[in-house]
Amino acid sequence: MSYLDTQPMSLSDAKYHLALAIPSPNAELLDEMVRRLPEHAVDLTEFAIALALDRLGATEDDTAETSSTETSSAVSKAMSRFHNRLYAEKKAALSSSEGSVGNPFASMPRSELKTFARAINANLPFVMKLRDRQIREDTMSEGFKRRVTEALEVPHDVVIAHFSAPAEVRLDARFKAEGKPEPGAKQTFEEAVRGSALTSEQQEYLLKL
Amino acid sequence: MATPLNKHYPDGRPYFRPPAVEAAIDELLGQDFATACRRAAITDRDSREYVPSEALVHLIRDARRRNDEASMDVLLPILLRRCESNLRTKVSSDLPNAEYIREEILGLFSELFAADGAGSNPDQLDFFEVHFNQAFQGLRIDIVRQEERKTLNRTYLPLPDEYEDDSNVDESVLKYFQTAPNQESTLGLKEALQMLPPDERRAVELCHILGYDEESEDPNKRTAATICGVTGRTIRNRLKRAAARLSSYKE
C-alpha cells in the first residue's frame, strides 16, 4: 500500500502531481492517479495527454516566464477577483468563528427553491445540495457561480462565502436514524451534477457554464 | 527559514523546494520589504537579483498568512504580469475566446492566493513553490482544453489512396512522439495529430505519448485497449491508419 492510499486526494491535487512529473506524466503515474480517483479516469487521462503534448518538443525556455513592468487590464481584473475572493474568505472565516455563515437559501421555502432551480436550469435535489453546501466551491466554474449570484440577486461574495463554508445538515431535515447525522465530505461539482437526477441536457448546460 | 510544504509526492515524501529556491527565499526573508519588492520587479532572468517565481509565491503566501494585504497588493501583480506574459505565448490567439481564457486563468490563479490556507485544499499553492512553470502549465491546460473541446477540428487527414487494411505501413513516424525530438520536427506532427480521427488520435496518444501497451495478457493492467474499450487488434489497426495518414502529411 502506497502513501497515497492512506491520504485523501482531490482531483486538482492529482492533476498537479501529473503536472510536476518530469519530463512528462507517464502511464505508470497516470494509472496511480486513476486508481485513486477512478470516477475521474477520463478527465485525468485527457489532462495527462494534453500535458504531455504541450511539453512535446518544448524546451525549458519555452515555459519560462518573461514579463513586462506595466499592469494590464487582465492583471487589474485578476487583482479585483483576488480582492473579492479575499473579502469572501475573510467573511467566511469570521462568520465561521462566530457560528455560521449566512445562507442565502435559508429563508427560501420549497416553492422558491423550485423557482430558483428553474432559473438555473436545474432541479430541486441539486439546489438542496447548493443550499446545504454539499458541493466543493473550488470545483464550481466561475460561470456557474456568477449564474447563481444573478439568480439569487445577492452579492457575489455572499455566494462564494456560502459555498466555501463547511457543509451543513438542516435542522428541519427528517432523519430515519436516531439523532442528527454529521455532514459528510463535500462532492465535486461534476459529481453533484451527475448525481442529482438532472436530465442530460441540464447536466451539459451546467457543466459548460 | 521558509515554511515547510505540506503536500506529498505520490511516493510519500514531502514535496520540497529546489535548493536554489530555498536559498532565494532565505535571502529575501532576510532583506527589508523595499529591497524584496525591487528585486521581485526585475524582469531580466539573467540578473543575479532576479527572484524565481517559486520564491515570489512564497513571499505572497507569507504575506497572506500575516494578513498583510499591502504587501500582497505589491507582490501579486508582479507575479501576475509574469503569468500574463507566459499566457500570451502559450494560449493560442487562434482560440475564439483567447483573451477571455487568459483572463480566466489569471483570475483563478489570483483566487488561489486569496483562498490559501483555507477551505478543502488549503495547501494547493505548495505545488507552485516546487516548480512554478509546471504547476502553472497544469492550471493553464486544464482551462484551455475545455475551450479546445468546443472547437475540435472536424477536418481529418485523408488516408493514402492506395491504403488497405492489410497494407504494410511504415509506422516509424509515430516514434517521433516518443523521442522528444527538437521543436522543428515536432511542431508539424503535433498539429497533424489534431487532424486524426478521434479514435486513431487517442490510440497514438496512449501508446506513443503516454507509453501504454497496446494490450496485455494481464486482465488487471490498464492498456490502450482497456482504456478505449476495444481489442488490441483494433488499437493496432488504428495506429496503422494513423501512421499512414501522418506519413502522407509529412511528405
Side-chain angles (χ1 to χ4, degrees):
Chain A
M1 180 179 283
S2 75
Y3 170 84
L4 283 176
D5 289 319
T6 63
Q7 300 295 314
M9 188 194 288
S10 67
L11 178 60
S12 64
D13 276 12
K15 288 178 177 174
Y16 282 121
H17 286 310
L18 291 168
L20 266 62
I22 295 173
S24 276
N26 57 22
E28 188 184 359
L29 180 60
L30 175 59
D31 283 353
E32 174 80 19
M33 299 300 120
V34 168
R35 197 171 58 75
R36 292 299 310 277
L37 299 167
E39 69 276 25
H40 296 297
V42 173
D43 190 17
L44 287 167
T45 303
E46 289 181 355
F47 178 77
I49 289 169
L51 260 179
L53 275 174
D54 200 65
R55 287 184 192 168
L56 197 65
T59 63
E60 178 64 19
D61 281 348
D62 290 330
T63 53
E65 70 286 347
T66 53
S67 172
S68 73
T69 54
E70 294 185 11
T71 298
S72 67
S73 73
V75 169
S76 297
K77 284 179 190 170
M79 283 305 291
S80 176
R81 273 177 73 167
F82 165 74
H83 282 292
N84 288 341
R85 181 65 185 266
L86 190 63
Y87 176 77
E89 290 291 338
K90 285 181 176 176
K91 198 170 174 183
L94 190 65
S95 302
S96 185
S97 65
E98 286 173 351
S100 65
V101 175
N103 186 332
F105 297 92
S107 61
M108 293 168 76
R110 197 176 176 84
S111 59
E112 273 187 43
L113 289 172
K114 282 184 174 175
T115 304
F116 173 78
R118 279 194 294 276
I120 63 166
N121 195 18
N123 61 11
L124 195 56
F126 182 75
V127 170
M128 297 290 207
K129 290 180 180 177
L130 294 178
R131 182 194 65 180
D132 299 340
R133 301 166 180 152
Q134 290 177 7
I135 307 173
R136 280 175 41 200
E137 184 272 337
D138 63 332
T139 63
M140 296 174 182
S141 70
E142 187 59 25
F144 174 76
K145 287 182 273 191
R146 294 276 172 203
R147 185 75 199 88
V148 170
T149 299
E150 288 164 13
L152 282 175
E153 296 179 347
V154 296
H156 191 54
D157 54 25
V158 170
V159 172
I160 300 294
H162 168 68
F163 289 143
S164 301
E168 67 175 23
V169 175
R170 301 276 299 174
L171 293 173
D172 56 356
R174 284 166 289 193
F175 307 114
K176 287 182 181 173
E178 285 184 17
K180 181 182 164 186
E182 292 294 317
K186 289 190 177 191
Q187 292 181 301
T188 65
F189 182 66
E190 184 171 354
E191 287 167 352
V193 168
R194 302 281 185 216
S196 298
L198 293 159
T199 66
S200 54
E201 181 273 323
Q202 287 173 318
Q203 292 183 30
E204 192 179 357
Y205 170 79
L206 291 167
L207 291 172
K208 277 189 174 171
L209 276 174
Chain B
M1 186 169 168
T3 316
L5 303 175
N6 290 322
K7 291 290 183 192
H8 289 73
Y9 287 97
D11 65 6
R13 290 173 300 136
Y15 268 105
F16 56 88
R17 306 176 188 90
V21 173
E22 285 283 356
I25 291 172
D26 285 348
E27 193 179 26
L28 286 161
L29 291 177
Q31 294 174 329
D32 58 70
F33 183 66
T35 304
C37 290
R38 179 185 60 74
R39 289 187 54 188
I42 293 173
T43 57
D44 176 9
R45 286 188 291 116
D46 294 328
S47 166
R48 201 197 65 77
E49 291 199 295
Y50 179 78
V51 177
S53 294
E54 291 87 349
L56 194 43
V57 169
H58 183 85
L59 290 186
I60 300 166
R61 296 181 79 190
D62 186 52
R64 174 71 181 93
R65 289 187 196 101
R66 292 182 281 104
N67 271 325
D68 179 357
E69 215 166 312
S71 295
M72 288 188 279
D73 281 345
V74 174
L75 295 171
L76 184 54
I78 294 172
L79 184 62
L80 291 176
R81 283 199 290 269
R82 293 184 183 188
C83 296
E84 185 189 27
S85 179
N86 174 285
L87 293 174
R88 274 201 217 105
T89 313
K90 293 293 180 180
V91 176
S92 168
S93 294
D94 294 340
L95 284 170
N97 302 319
E99 275 307 310
Y100 165 78
I101 296 168
R102 291 178 192 128
E103 288 183 7
E104 183 64 12
I105 297 168
L106 277 186
L108 282 173
F109 181 56
S110 72
E111 286 194 41
L112 292 184
F113 288 92
D116 192 34
S120 55
N121 199 353
D123 305 309
Q124 206 169 157
L125 282 168
D126 278 8
F127 297 108
F128 291 83
E129 289 194 48
V130 176
H131 199 307
F132 183 87
N133 285 336
Q134 285 174 291
F136 191 68
Q137 182 191 29
L139 185 69
R140 163 174 60 83
I141 281 176
D142 212 23
I143 296 168
V144 169
R145 73 197 176 98
Q146 289 170 20
E147 291 298 316
E148 283 177 337
R149 270 189 216 138
K150 298 174 190 169
T151 56
L152 278 180
N153 186 14
R154 303 289 176 204
T155 309
Y156 302 134
L157 290 173
L159 276 169
D161 291 340
E162 68 279 13
Y163 181 85
E164 290 177 12
D165 282 345
D166 57 357
S167 303
N168 283 325
V169 174
D170 177 9
E171 296 189 28
S172 60
V173 65
L174 301 179
K175 306 284 184 218
Y176 275 87
F177 295 111
Q178 301 170 330
T179 51
N182 63 47
Q183 203 161 359
E184 294 76 39
S185 63
T186 317
L187 274 180
L189 279 176
K190 280 167 76 172
E191 191 179 90
L193 187 66
Q194 305 306 317
M195 296 164 71
L196 292 177
D199 55 353
E200 293 173 25
R201 189 178 73 232
R202 182 50 51 93
V204 175
E205 290 167 343
L206 291 171
C207 295
H208 291 278
I209 293 176
L210 290 182
Y212 278 101
D213 292 337
E214 293 161 3
E215 65 179 335
S216 169
E217 290 178 1
D218 178 354
N220 295 318
K221 188 173 181 186
R222 263 168 53 95
T223 63
T226 64
I227 292 170
C228 296
V230 297
T231 64
R233 181 187 165 86
T234 301
I235 292 294
R236 284 189 289 280
N237 282 336
R238 289 175 181 176
L239 290 173
K240 198 166 125 180
R241 282 198 296 273
R245 290 182 208 272
L246 291 171
S247 295
S248 61
Y249 176 83
K250 231 185 143 207
E251 288 163 9

